Amino acid sequence: MKINYGVFLIILLLLGCNHKTEVPYARTAENINHDWSYLEYDSQDINAAKEQVNWSGINLPHTWNNEDVTDSESGYRRAVSWYKKDIVLNEILQNVHYSLYFEGSNITTTVFVNGNEAGHHIGGYIGFEIDITPHVKAGNNEIFVKVDSGYNPDIIPSQKSDFFIYGGITRDVWLKKRPKTSLGKIQVSTPNVSKELASLQVVVPIVSEEVLIGHDVEVVLRNVAGEVVTSKTNKLDGSDTTITITDIIDPMLWDIDAPNLYTVDVYLKKGEDVLDKVSDKVGFRWFEFVENGPFFLNGRRVLLRGTHRHEEHAGVGAAMSNELHRKDMEMIKEMGANFVRLAHYPQDPEIYKACDELGLLVWDELPWCRGGVGEAVWQTNTKNMLREMIHQNYNHPSVIIWSLGNEMYWLPDFEGGDDTDKMNTFLSELNTIAHELDPSRKTAIRKYYEGADIVDVFSPSIWSGWYSGSYKSYQKALDTYKPKYKSFLHAEYGGSSHVGRHTENPITGEGVINSDGWEEAIVQTKVANIAQIGDWSENYMVDLFDWHLRITETDSTFVGNAQWAFKDFGTPLRPENDIPYMNQKGLVDRAGKPKDSYYVFKSYWAKEPFAYIESHTWTERQGPRDLARTINVFSNCKEVTLFHNGKSLGAKTKDITKFPASGLTWDINFSEGSNELIAKAKHDNGTMVADTLTVNYRFTKNEGAKGLTLSAKKLSNGNYLVTAVAIDANGLRCLDYEDKVYFQTLEGGQSLRNQGTPTGSEIIGMANGKASIELKPDNTQNGIKVMVLNQNFKGTYLTINK
C-alpha cells in the first residue's frame, strides 16, 4: 500500500488544530451573598427540609436572632435553620477545584451539594472552606446549608457567657475556583525587623495530586506604591517550600500612625508559564512587652490606648455588612485608639483588614469564655478553633496577641470543670500550640489568676468605681499589679450609662452621693457597688473615664488598657437593664451614636481638633437661683474659651493633670429659661473649632410624677419620633423620673422595636423624665395611634395624622 505522506501530514495538522493546549486556570472568588432562601425549621433531615414550602428569600449575611434577642420575651432561638441557593456552572473544568468559603456560620454547619453532604464545620467565628468539586455538575447545582445554633456544651463559647450567640450564616460566602495544581494559603512572617533592615519569610504550601519536581515558586515584594522591592525564586523538590528574603533595606515600617502595607505576590511556575498566583499584605514591625514595664512598637514606647468590640449592630445583630464593620473601626480610630481587643471571639475578616489599614493593634481571642474545661470532645474542638484562628489571621501585622480565654473558670459546664489542675494543664497545652504555630506573638488571658504565669500577658479584673471601690482607687490598683505580673495589660474597665440620663450630683470619685443643691443641709450617702446602686448617668461615666485616662496618660511605665466596651451590645444576662437585654457600657449606643464618654476619650487621644460641651443630651436642667453649675468642655485643643449668652467667661489652658476635663471647666449661674453656651477652641496647629449648646434652665424643682404626655416629630426619613415625658401636677417635666415606660403602636404604622437603642425599644427606662421611640407609618390612610403606659400611669394616647 502506497502512503500519501502529504495527505497524512495534513491530517496530523488538522488533528493538532483541534487539540487545545491546556491553559492554566486563573483562580477566582465570587461573592454569592444574594438570592438565598431561608427556612426556619428545626430538623436535622435534609429531605424533610426539602419538602417544606414556607421558604423565604434573604440575602447574606443573615441571622435569625437579629431581633428576638432584644424583644420582650425571655430567651432566644437556639435551633436548626436551613439555607438554600442554586448555583449555575456553565461547564465543569477537569483541572479546576471548586469550593464554598464561609467567613462565619454559627455554630455548626453542614453543606449539601446536589443532595450529597460535602462537608461540615464546628464553630461559629472562624472561616472555613468546603470542597464541592466531587459534587458539582454543569448546569444548575442545588446548595443546601444546615446551620445549628442549638446548645452544645462541647463547643465554645459557653452558654453562660455575657453575650448572645447569634445563629445563622452571619458573614459573607464565596464561590471559589482555583487550579487543582495550585498554591495553598501562604504564611507570611517578618523574622527580623529594624529601621535599617528587614527580612521576609513566606511559607508556601503546594496543593497537587502529584509531587511537583522542576516547578518554581517566585515571591515578589512590592512597596506601598506597588513598585517591586525585591524578588526570589525557589525550585520545588517536594510539596512545600519556604522562601526567605533577608536584604530589605530601609523598610517602610507598619506603625499605628503610618500603617504601611507591602504586597507579597507568590507565583507557581512551570518554565515561563504561570500556573497560579496568590497575594497578601505584610507589615514590617516589631514589638516588645518590657518585663514589669511599658510596651514598645518599632523601638519607641507606645501606650496602648484601647477599647473592646463585640460584633453586632442594631437591627441586624451579628449579620453586619462590611460597611458597618468598617465604620466601627473607623470610629474607634477617630476616637484616637491604637489598640482593640476583639471580644470574645475571632471576628469578621473585614475587621482585621481595617485594623491593618488604619493602624490598630489587635488582641485576638479564642472564644473560651466561661464554662470551665471540658472533656475530650470539648478539648479537641477548642484546640482546633485555636489552630484555625491562628492559621486564618496569621498574616495580619495588626495582631500582636493571641488570647486563650476570658473568665474561663467561671460557671463550669462540666463536673470538675473549674478544677485548677485540669484548667492549668489544658491552658498550658493551648499556650504550647499557640507558640508552636506562631513564636512571634504573645499569648494572654483575662481574669484567671491561677493561670497568669502560664501565658505571656495577663489582665486581672479591675472595675474601679463600678463593681467595687471608687474610681479614684485606680492608681492604687495599677501600682499593685504592675510589679506582680511581668506583662500586665488591663483589659476591661468602665460602667453603664443610659443615654440622656444626667444628674446634678453624680457619685464622686470617693463613691459618695452629695446633695443636689436643693437641701439646706449637706446630705451624703456612701455607695459600695455603683453598678447596683448608681443611677447610670452619663455624667458619672464621664467622670470615671476622665479619671482613668488622667492616670494612664501620665504613667510612663504602664503598658495600657482597653475600655469595656466600644458599643452597647446584647446579652441574655441583663433583662432588667434600662434597655432590656442590653449591656449599656458602650461609648456609643448599639446603632453607633456617640455618648458623652466618647468625647472624653477623644479629648485625650484624637488628633483631629474638636470641642464638646457636656452635654448635648442634657438640655433641660433645674436648680436653685444663684447656685452655680460647673460646665465641662472636652477638647484636644490647647486653649478653650467659653461664652455664656454672648459673654466670654475667659480662656483656659488644657492640662491633663487636672480633673475634671483637664481643667476646662467653668462655673456658671444659669439664667432662667434659654441659655446659649459656645466653646471656641484653638489647636496647637492654629485650627479653630467651636461647639454650641442651648440649655433650658428653671429655678423650680419638679414634684413627683403625676402623668405621661406624648408628642411626635416627623423625621427626615419620613418616620416619626414619638416622645413620652413624665410631668408633675404643675406640668413640669420630672427630671428625676427613671421608671420604665412601655410604648405600643395600635394602628397606622409600626415601631422600630427590638433595636436595643434609645429610640428603638418599646420597653425603656426614662432618662430625666423622657423616653422616645421611632415609628414607621404604613401605607394606609389611617392616622398613627400610639400609647405609652407603665405601672403607675395606665395609658396616654396620641394620634398622628399622616
Side-chain angles (χ1 to χ4, degrees):
M1 179 180 177
K2 186 178 180 179
I3 301 175
N4 188 327
Y5 287 99
V7 173
F8 184 71
L9 180 59
I10 291 172
I11 294 171
L12 288 177
L13 288 171
L14 289 171
L15 290 171
C17 289
N18 289 330
H19 176 72
K20 296 179 181 178
T21 302
E22 187 174 72
V23 178
Y25 185 86
R27 63 171 64 217
T28 62
E30 176 189 357
N31 183 283
I32 57 171
N33 282 355
H34 292 285
D35 301 323
W36 286 74
S37 296
Y38 170 71
L39 176 68
E40 198 159 285
Y41 183 60
D42 192 10
S43 173
Q44 301 286 341
D45 185 359
I46 183 175
N47 293 317
K50 285 182 176 181
E51 293 174 358
Q52 305 305 306
V53 295
N54 55 331
W55 293 80
S56 58
I58 56 111
N59 293 324
L60 303 179
H62 175 265
T63 174
W64 56 82
N65 301 124
N66 61 310
E67 288 197 19
D68 79 329
V69 296
T70 51
D71 64 20
S72 58
E73 298 179 17
S74 61
Y76 64 110
R77 187 173 185 271
R78 300 285 303 275
V80 173
S81 281
W82 289 84
Y83 298 83
K84 70 176 179 179
K85 181 178 177 63
D86 290 339
I87 296 177
V88 176
L89 300 172
N90 293 328
E91 59 179 338
I92 300 298
L93 301 175
Q94 294 305 307
N95 64 330
V96 173
H97 176 276
Y98 300 82
S99 65
L100 293 175
Y101 183 76
F102 294 76
E103 292 182 358
S105 181
N106 214 351
I107 298 177
T108 61
T109 306
T110 307
V111 178
F112 301 85
V113 180
N114 295 324
N116 301 304
E117 183 175 329
H120 181 75
H121 183 261
I122 296 172
Y125 301 100
I126 304 167
F128 59 95
E129 191 165 355
I130 301 294
D131 181 6
I132 63 173
T133 309
H135 309 294
V136 292
K137 65 182 189 299
N140 186 67
N141 293 268
E142 192 176 52
I143 310 297
F144 277 78
V145 182
K146 179 183 68 178
V147 183
D148 187 349
S149 69
Y151 172 63
N152 187 339
D154 281 324
I155 302 174
I156 57 175
S158 170
Q159 169 80 13
K160 297 164 184 172
S161 299
D162 195 5
F163 55 89
F164 286 111
I165 300 171
Y166 290 90
I169 304 178
T170 56
R171 299 177 187 163
D172 294 346
V173 178
W174 302 82
L175 172 62
K176 290 190 172 185
K177 305 173 187 177
R178 61 166 174 79
K180 285 189 174 178
T181 298
S182 60
L183 300 163
K185 180 176 171 56
I186 61 173
Q187 187 180 83
V188 182
S189 59
T190 55
N192 297 290
V193 181
S194 70
K195 296 178 181 178
E196 297 79 23
L197 194 67
S199 64
L200 176 73
Q201 181 175 283
V202 185
V203 177
V204 186
I206 303 298
V207 181
S208 177
E209 295 176 355
E210 57 186 27
V211 176
L212 300 185
I213 304 295
H215 290 64
D216 296 324
V217 171
E218 181 184 21
V219 169
V220 178
L221 180 67
R222 302 178 189 274
N223 63 18
V224 176
E227 302 163 336
V228 174
V229 175
T230 186
S231 64
K232 187 174 181 180
T233 301
N234 275 13
K235 281 281 186 187
L236 284 179
D237 58 3
S239 58
D240 299 338
T241 190
T242 298
I243 296 180
T244 303
I245 299 173
T246 59
D247 55 350
I248 303 166
I249 300 172
D250 297 329
M252 298 175 66
L253 298 179
W254 185 95
D255 198 271
I256 55 175
D257 297 320
N260 295 301
L261 291 170
Y262 286 66
T263 301
V264 177
D265 294 327
V266 182
Y267 301 86
L268 175 62
K269 294 182 175 181
K270 186 176 184 180
E272 294 300 315
D273 295 331
V274 175
L275 304 183
D276 192 21
K277 174 193 173 184
V278 297
S279 299
D280 210 340
K281 299 293 185 181
V282 63
F284 293 97
R285 53 96 178 108
W286 80 97
F287 66 88
E288 177 188 8
F289 286 87
V290 175
E291 188 166 336
N292 301 115
F295 173 82
F296 281 77
L297 177 66
N298 299 332
R300 68 182 178 96
R301 190 252 171 159
V302 170
L303 174 66
L304 294 182
R305 296 165 166 161
T307 186
H308 293 72
R309 181 193 189 253
H310 264 293
E311 189 167 280
E312 65 171 75
H313 192 83
V316 297
M320 296 174 64
S321 66
N322 285 341
E323 291 75 18
L324 285 175
H325 287 302
R326 180 80 184 198
K327 180 62 176 176
D328 276 359
M329 307 320 293
E330 288 175 345
M331 287 190 69
I332 289 171
K333 186 67 177 182
E334 288 167 9
M335 185 176 75
N338 58 31
F339 173 67
V340 61
R341 178 184 177 214
L342 301 181
H344 294 291
Y345 40 79
Q347 300 194 6
D348 190 281
E350 187 69 17
I351 295 302
Y352 302 90
K353 178 175 180 288
C355 290
D356 289 346
E357 294 172 352
L358 296 172
L360 287 167
L361 296 162
V362 171
W363 163 315
D364 207 5
E365 190 155 289
L366 179 72
W368 185 13
C369 185
R370 303 185 180 178
V373 65
E375 304 301 334
V377 173
W378 181 95
Q379 294 186 24
T380 297
N381 288 337
T382 302
K383 289 178 180 177
N384 285 343
M385 287 186 199
L386 176 62
R387 294 186 180 99
E388 288 178 331
M389 179 179 77
I390 295 175
H391 179 68
Q392 174 176 292
N393 298 326
Y394 185 94
N395 293 349
H396 291 285
S398 55
V399 177
I400 59 171
I401 289 173
W402 302 120
S403 170
L404 305 181
N406 174 71
E407 301 175 351
M408 305 96 71
Y409 67 95
W410 206 356
L411 304 171
D413 290 321
F414 300 86
E415 186 175 353
D418 57 351
D419 179 81
T420 300
D421 290 339
K422 291 173 64 176
M423 288 280 298
N424 284 355
T425 297
F426 186 71
L427 180 60
S428 296
E429 292 173 3
L430 292 182
N431 192 61
T432 298
I433 291 170
H435 282 304
E436 287 177 347
L437 292 175
D438 185 3
S440 70
R441 292 182 172 96
K442 302 300 182 183
T443 58
I445 56 172
R446 178 189 169 273
K447 200 185 175 184
Y448 173 55
Y449 296 89
E450 292 79 2
D453 294 332
I454 295 173
V455 295
D456 303 314
V457 177
F458 179 68
S459 173
S461 180
I462 309 170
W463 285 87
S464 300
W466 192 246
Y467 291 121
S468 63
S470 61
Y471 58 73
K472 287 192 176 179
S473 66
Y474 188 53
Q475 182 69 68
K476 181 179 180 181
L478 297 187
D479 293 341
T480 299
Y481 288 123
K482 278 192 294 184
K484 188 172 184 178
Y485 301 112
K486 58 184 179 182
S487 293
F488 159 50
L489 195 170
H490 179 206
E492 299 191 20
Y493 69 98
S496 298
S497 61
H498 191 44
V499 172
R501 183 174 292 168
H502 301 273
T503 178
E504 300 291 354
N505 56 317
I507 299 169
T508 70
E510 293 77 25
V512 173
I513 302 177
N514 287 320
S515 164
D516 64 0
W518 294 101
E519 296 88 348
E520 292 183 8
I522 296 298
V523 177
Q524 288 189 335
T525 304
K526 186 75 174 179
V527 178
N529 187 320
I530 295 168
Q532 294 179 357
I533 306 300
D535 55 17
W536 290 28
S537 65
E538 286 200 74
N539 45 338
Y540 175 73
M541 290 313 307
V542 162
D543 290 346
L544 182 148
F545 286 128
D546 191 8
W547 185 268
H548 277 72
L549 291 167
R550 189 186 72 85
I551 294 297
T552 58
E553 291 292 320
T554 56
D555 189 332
S556 62
T557 63
F558 186 40
V559 167
N561 54 23
Q563 169 271 342
W564 181 272
F566 179 68
K567 183 196 286 185
D568 288 354
F569 63 93
T571 166
L573 306 185
R574 301 170 190 264
E576 299 302 321
N577 282 5
D578 284 304
I579 302 178
Y581 299 106
M582 277 295 111
N583 187 317
Q584 294 176 249
K585 295 186 179 73
L587 302 179
V588 301
D589 69 20
R590 198 171 181 241
K593 185 177 180 180
K595 304 180 187 180
D596 287 347
S597 296
Y598 180 82
Y599 299 101
V600 180
F601 283 83
K602 282 191 71 174
S603 72
Y604 282 92
W605 295 350
K607 295 182 178 180
E608 190 69 24
F610 86 101
Y612 179 79
I613 305 172
E614 185 193 358
S615 156
H616 285 240
T617 59
W618 196 11
T619 58
E620 296 287 333
R621 300 178 65 170
Q622 65 184 8
R625 188 184 300 271
D626 297 327
L627 176 66
R629 298 297 193 188
T630 300
I631 296 296
N632 297 332
V633 176
F634 288 93
S635 177
N636 58 349
C637 296
K638 182 178 181 180
E639 184 179 277
V640 178
T641 303
L642 186 66
F643 296 82
H644 177 215
N645 291 335
K647 179 182 177 181
S648 172
L649 302 182
K652 295 201 174 184
T653 301
K654 181 180 175 70
D655 180 354
I656 65 170
T657 66
K658 293 181 178 179
F659 176 84
S662 299
L664 301 178
T665 67
W666 290 260
D667 290 337
I668 291 180
N669 286 307
F670 281 113
S671 303
E672 189 166 26
S674 180
N675 293 260
E676 183 185 62
L677 301 175
I678 299 176
K680 295 183 178 180
K682 184 177 181 180
H683 198 262
D684 287 341
N685 61 15
T687 301
M688 294 295 297
V689 292
D691 187 36
T692 301
L693 175 66
T694 300
V695 175
N696 187 44
Y697 201 85
R698 70 189 190 213
F699 298 147
T700 304
K701 184 179 182 180
N702 61 262
E703 299 174 357
K706 296 297 183 181
L708 301 173
T709 66
L710 279 176
S711 62
K713 178 179 72 172
K714 192 167 186 178
L715 304 174
S716 59
N717 62 4
N719 293 346
Y720 292 87
L721 185 67
V722 174
T723 299
V725 172
I727 59 171
D728 67 8
N730 299 312
L732 292 178
R733 176 174 158 186
C734 298
L735 299 178
D736 53 357
Y737 193 76
E738 300 177 358
D739 288 3
K740 282 191 176 71
V741 293
Y742 301 77
F743 289 99
Q744 294 180 28
T745 305
L746 303 176
E747 64 177 359
Q750 63 181 11
S751 62
L752 294 184
R753 59 186 183 275
N754 306 332
Q755 304 294 297
T757 64
T759 59
S761 179
E762 288 186 320
I763 304 171
I764 188 168
M766 282 199 146
N768 290 35
K770 179 181 175 181
S772 299
I773 192 163
E774 186 173 346
L775 304 182
K776 181 179 181 180
D778 61 22
N779 295 323
T780 68
Q781 297 300 313
N782 299 331
I784 304 173
K785 192 169 186 179
V786 61
M787 178 178 70
V788 66
L789 52 79
N790 67 8
Q791 193 68 27
N792 298 314
F793 310 113
K794 299 306 180 184
T796 299
Y797 297 84
L798 175 69
T799 298
I800 306 168
N801 295 317
K802 298 177 185 176

